[in-house]
């Protein structure tokens, strides 16, 4: 055992810190040994029909550490944590929990042993209140009667701890924003008092300051000896919060237990993707001053969301909308698209004014919206990839209403290859794809459609670094062909790197508008948070 | 225990093996695979028929009787497949059939038909059915009434209207040419059966090969996503119910031809038979997945079952029990297959 740990240290130059965190015991003979890791996984294999999601994963987590899992979309991260939390049964391999072989047949068994998981795809029950969701499956009760007041009180305390006094414990979860749902999901995981907390891309829908709060909570937990498994595609986060990193590629461990702070980003990307990535963002092409104004929005307002929004996008221009979740960014896009009814203002495409609140009118004018929530607003989960891609451009594949299946598949295939959707194959059902790959499918739908105006809401949420740069390329290509693009993103770096012009939205107002290269990340963050930080 | 913590995987995963496995499970789960279960069920039923009723079952006339009976409910079921695939449900089909059959056989309609052409009867039934479907569709899509409730209301209203019009009497049809046309056979196949075959084939093409069909899957699979993708979900929904209404009108024509009557009691419990046939065929009640071939098998299975029971002098009640059992078994089987195909 000790030898093994030395091997770790020797190979990876591991920190003494990790040593001190590992539990050290003295056995009967007086020799010092290192306790078994909290969780140890050997040779884990998980097969789905047609796909081997995990084909031999080795992985271990020690008490009190933050262990990051890294890998491309579809590498098997979510599947691994679902196996660990009892949501899936492994086909082969062994899981040791505190040194004992463990079989988590179902999530409840895992929960009882002290494993809590926050899944990538939110697993809350719409229709139930926040408090009910937090304690679902481990309700507080006396002789079968739920203690609702107590549940509410504890829920409020948990939400407080996560910096969200603003979420009422009685509110129906289905009526919360995605970001708030994510917070509820975190509260649920915290309510379990677990020894191991698994978080699958928790930061994907969070704002920078919410991520900071989350990290505060994680540090608190690890100080108490709780282990955290943290999945994210954002390198900066891994550096900040991680102790060790395990990299998965195609369902296998390619590197285990690397020190999170020392290992070079290029090395990690190399391990993940097997290639070297030069520039994430493509070169900007200056937009001609005389380029036509394709999208003109004036004085747009909607109830309870935002007001007085002016936005002009020229042909070939990419405009970025930065702002906090809930600042009104997505509402602006949806209103421009007609999916929400504007109370005031006008939207013009190519000089023609659109009817308010009519998606049909917007679509006919050549507008497309890639919505924020891929699951509820974007995907036909039980249908094939190619059908998801072509659904909004069916007429271009039809002659007299009859569809040309073959053309649909070919064109979709070209896009999925460009976006590196894994596993390949446009006949697969979308439900079986990993989160990032599902996002690519939604995006592909809008890249396929020939739009005049393309509105993209969080286009790269949950997409890995490699594929992200492909997506940026494709967006740039579209702009070069004269499409007017509007991108909403919580990732300030993305907005600044991709857009020509940046608009900052705060509390339903546009507070800044200017060229992207005249403003830097910290200034945007200041603008975004002004009056918000307290 | 592995000494070395950095494990480097070979660059190429074993894709060929994966492909083979994928091929097999794809076959199992594909439409062909799923229908195999239904084919087997149908064959077993036929065997049971031959064993218990012998020549009375395995007789060409009997087979044609089964098909003729299947044709009417079959046409309704094809329409129902569209509505259910599109995420809806229609409980009023039986009532619409009744109303169409009554309206198309009133003395007034028959009078016009006799002084012009028998096709008037057909058009009347289609118009009444289509109009009822349109009303359902508009109520559901634009009025935002839950489909279950809206069509429950139409069920009551349409049957009531049929009783008022017919004065609760069975109306005998006597229109020159009509009976002759529908009683004929094409190459030994009764016209009713030919109509069913044509409707089923057209339904298959419409669902699987056209924009309309694809939009139906999208609307049923995720209406919000379909709306944001630029599909006019409300109009499409209204069209689906209208289509089903037209199917009911056609079914009414076929029923008139088979019975030479129009009556407010026609089409009793058609809604249950149609929904059951659609569901055991493999169409998802929650929408987004549908198969016409499955529906056709579903209809044939139920009709054959009734026939076998009748030949053996078993009661209607026993038939109902057997039907219930078949539905449960079929749905369980389907879930198995669906899980295996990973969908
Ligand atoms: N329920 C399922 N049915 C079929 N295949 C599945 C299922 N769940 C996952 N897979 C497949 O398993 C592989 C691993 O998926 P997983 O979700 O674990 O990826 P991931 O590493 O979490 O990716 P991402 O970064 O995109 O979230 C993928 O190829 C995926 O298509
Ligand atoms: Mg994942």
């Amino acid at each position: 055992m000790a030898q093994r740990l030395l091997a770790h240290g020797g190979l990876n130059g591991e920190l003494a810190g990790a040593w001190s965190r590992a539990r050290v015991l003295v056995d009967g003979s007086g020799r010092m040994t290192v306790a078994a890791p909290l969780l140890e996984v050997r040779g884990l294999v998980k097969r789905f029909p047609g796909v081997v999601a995990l084909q031999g994963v080795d992985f271990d987590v020690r008490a009190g550490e933050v262990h990051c899992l890294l890998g491309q979309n579809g590498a098997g991260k979510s599947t691994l944590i679902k196996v660990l939390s009892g949501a899936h049964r492994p086909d082969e391999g062994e899981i040791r929990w505190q040194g004992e072989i463990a079989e988590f047949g179902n999530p409840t068994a895992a929960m009882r042993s002290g494993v809590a998981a926050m899944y990538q795809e939110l697993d809350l029950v719409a229709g139930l209140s926040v408090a009910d969701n937090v304690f679902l499956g481990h309700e507080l009760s006396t002789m079968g009667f739920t203690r609702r007041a107590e549940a509410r009180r504890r829920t409020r305390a948990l939400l407080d701890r996560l910096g969200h006094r603003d979420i009422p414990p009685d509110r129906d979860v289905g009526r919360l924003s995605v970001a708030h749902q994510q917070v509820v999901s975190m509260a649920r995981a915290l309510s379990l008092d677990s020894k191991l907390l698994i978080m699958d891309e928790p930061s994907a829908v969070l704002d920078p300051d919410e991520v900071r709060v989350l990290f505060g909570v994680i540090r608190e937990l690890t100080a108490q000896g709780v282990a955290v498994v943290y999945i994210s595609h954002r390198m900066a986060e891994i550096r900040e919060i991680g102790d060790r990193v395990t990299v998965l590629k195609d369902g296998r461990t390619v590197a285990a237990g690397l020190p999170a702070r020392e290992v070079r980003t290029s090395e990690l990307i190399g391990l993940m993707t097997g290639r070297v990535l030069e520039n994430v963002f493509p070169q900007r092409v200056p937009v001609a001053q005389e380029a036509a104004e394709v999208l003109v929005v004036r004085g747009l307002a909607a109830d309870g969301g935002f007001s007085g929004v002016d936005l002009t996008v020229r042909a070939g221009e990419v405009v970025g909308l930065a702002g906090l979740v809930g600042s009104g960014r997505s509402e602006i896009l949806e209103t421009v698209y007609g999916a929400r009814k504007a109370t005031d203002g006008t939207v013009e495409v190519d000089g023609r004014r659109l009817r308010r609140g009519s998606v049909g009118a917007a679509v006919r004018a050549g507008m497309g919206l890639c919505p924020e929530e891929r699951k509820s607003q974007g995907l036909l989960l039980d249908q094939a990839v190619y059908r998801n891609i072509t659904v909004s451009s069916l007429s271009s594949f039809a002659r007299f209403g009859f569809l040309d299946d073959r053309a649909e598949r070919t064109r979709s295939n070209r896009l999925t290859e460009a976006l590196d959707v894994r596993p390949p194959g446009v006949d697969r059902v979308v439900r079986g794809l990993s989160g990032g790959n599902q996002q690519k499918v939604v995006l592909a739908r809008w890249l396929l459609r020939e739009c005049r105006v393309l509105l993209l809401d969080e286009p790269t949420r949950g997409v890995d670094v490699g594929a992200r740069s492909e997506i940026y390329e494709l967006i740039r290509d579209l702009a070069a062909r004269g499409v007017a693009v509007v991108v909403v993103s919580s990732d300030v770096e993305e907005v600044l790197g991709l857009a020509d012009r940046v608009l900052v939205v705060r509390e339903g107002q546009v507070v800044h508008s200017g060229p992207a290269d005249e403003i830097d990340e910290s200034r945007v963050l200041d603008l975004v948070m002004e009056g918000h930080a307290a | 225990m592995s000494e070395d913590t950095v494990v480097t995987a070979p660059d190429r995963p074993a894709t060929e093996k994966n492909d083979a496995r994928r091929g097999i499970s794809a076959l199992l789960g594909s439409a062909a695979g799923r229908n195999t279960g239904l084919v087997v069920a149908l064959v077993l039923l036929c065997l049971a028929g031959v064993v218990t009723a012998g020549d009375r079952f395995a007789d060409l006339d009997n087979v044609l009787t089964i098909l003729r009976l299947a044709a009417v409910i079959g046409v309704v079921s094809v329409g129902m497949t569209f509505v259910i695939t599109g995420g809806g449900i229609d409980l009023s089909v039986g009532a619409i059939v009744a109303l169409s059959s009554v309206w198309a056989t009133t003395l007034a309609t028959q009078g016009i038909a006799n002084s012009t052409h028998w096709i008037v009867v057909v058009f009347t039934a289609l118009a009444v059915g289509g109009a009822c479907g349109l009303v359902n569709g508009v109520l559901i899509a634009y009025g935002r009434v839950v489909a279950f409730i809206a069509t429950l209301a139409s069920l009551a209203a349409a049957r009531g209207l049929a009783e008022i019009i017919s004065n609760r009497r069975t109306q005998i049809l006597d229109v020159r040419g009509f009976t002759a046309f529908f009683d004929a056979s094409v190459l030994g196949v009764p016209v009713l059966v030919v109509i069913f075959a044509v409707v089923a084939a057209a339904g298959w093409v419409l669902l699987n090969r056209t924009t309309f069909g694809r939009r139906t899957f999208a609307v049923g699979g995720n209406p919000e996503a379909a709306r944001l993708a630029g599909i006019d979900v409300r109009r499409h929904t209204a069209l689906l119910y209208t289509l089903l209404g037209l199917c009911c009108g056609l079914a009414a024509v076929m029923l008139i031809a088979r019975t030479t009557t129009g009556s407010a009691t026609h089409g009793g419990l058609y809604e249950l038979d149609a929904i059951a046939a659609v569901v055991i065929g493999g169409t998802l009640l929650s929408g987004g997945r549908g198969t016409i071939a499955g529906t056709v098998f579903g209809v044939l299975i139920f009709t054959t079952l009734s026939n076998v029971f009748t030949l053996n002098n078993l009661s209607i009640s026993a038939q109902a029990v057997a039907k219930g059992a078949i539905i449960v078994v079929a749905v369980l089987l389907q879930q198995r297959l669906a899980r295996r195909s990973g969908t």
Side-chain angles (χ1 to χ4, degrees), chain B residues 139-157:
Chain B
L139 270 179
I140 291 160
Y142 296 93
R144 292 169 199 267
V145 184
V146 180
F148 198 89
I149 302 298
T151 57
L152 198 61
S154 335
L155 182 162

Side-chain angles (χ1 to χ4, degrees), chain A residues 92-108:
Chain A
E92 285 167 35
E94 76 178 26
I95 302 175
R96 280 177 182 273
W97 176 248
Q98 298 183 307
E100 311 274 313
I101 292 207
E103 277 215 23
F104 298 141
N106 55 54
T108 323

Side-chain angles (χ1 to χ4, degrees), chain B residues 16-269:
Chain B
E16 290 120 63
K17 211 168 91 194
N18 292 356
D19 282 350
R21 195 173 285 138
R22 182 177 127 70
I24 292 166
S25 63
L27 185 75
L28 269 176
S30 72
R34 192 173 299 138
N35 286 342
T36 320
L38 295 169
V39 174
V40 169
L42 191 57
V43 169
L44 286 179
L45 258 177
C46 291
L47 281 180
V50 171
V51 169
T52 55
D55 283 348
R56 280 184 302 139
F57 179 82
D59 171 61
L60 186 63
D61 274 346
N62 187 48
V63 171
L64 289 183
T65 307
I66 293 178
L67 288 177
R68 243 196 309 264
L69 285 173
V72 180
I73 188 70
V75 168
V76 175
S77 302
V78 168
M80 188 68 91
T81 309
F82 278 87
V83 165
I84 293 183
T85 305
I89 191 88
D90 191 339
L91 303 178
S92 64
V93 287
I96 297 180
V97 169
L99 181 60
S100 306
S101 80
V102 166
W103 206 314
T105 53
T106 55
L107 288 179
T109 318
Q110 294 201 36
I112 302 175
N114 272 324
S115 60
T116 51
H117 192 273
W118 58 263
I119 203 84
V120 169
V121 175
V122 176
F123 280 139
T124 310
L126 288 179
V128 172
C132 291
L134 184 64
V135 169
N136 275 340
V138 169
L139 270 179
I140 291 160
Y142 296 93
R144 292 169 199 267
V145 184
V146 180
F148 198 89
I149 302 298
T151 57
L152 198 61
S154 335
L155 182 162
R159 271 225 196 268
L161 190 56
E163 285 176 2
I164 293 172
I165 294 176
S166 67
N167 217 354
R168 299 196 180 209
R169 272 197 291 265
T170 301
Q171 302 173 157
I172 310 287
L173 180 91
D174 182 17
V175 173
R176 280 185 309 277
F178 183 92
T179 331
F181 178 84
F182 285 99
D183 274 353
S185 292
V186 183
L187 304 172
V189 184
V191 167
L192 292 189
V193 179
V194 173
I195 293 177
F196 175 35
V198 170
V199 167
W204 187 89
V205 171
L206 187 62
L207 190 61
N208 297 301
R209 287 286 176 267
T210 68
T211 324
F212 183 87
R214 191 63 64 72
R215 290 193 174 144
T216 306
F217 285 112
V219 168
N222 186 343
E224 176 66 3
R227 185 176 80 101
L228 292 177
I231 295 173
D232 191 336
V233 174
R234 286 193 279 181
R235 196 184 62 172
H236 196 86
T237 306
L239 285 177
L240 287 173
Y241 285 94
T242 311
L243 179 69
L244 175 52
L246 284 172
C247 287
C248 292
L250 184 58
V253 172
M254 297 161 76
L255 202 53
I256 295 170
R258 215 182 66 207
T259 60
T260 67
T261 61
S263 158
T265 59
H266 274 342
L269 292 188

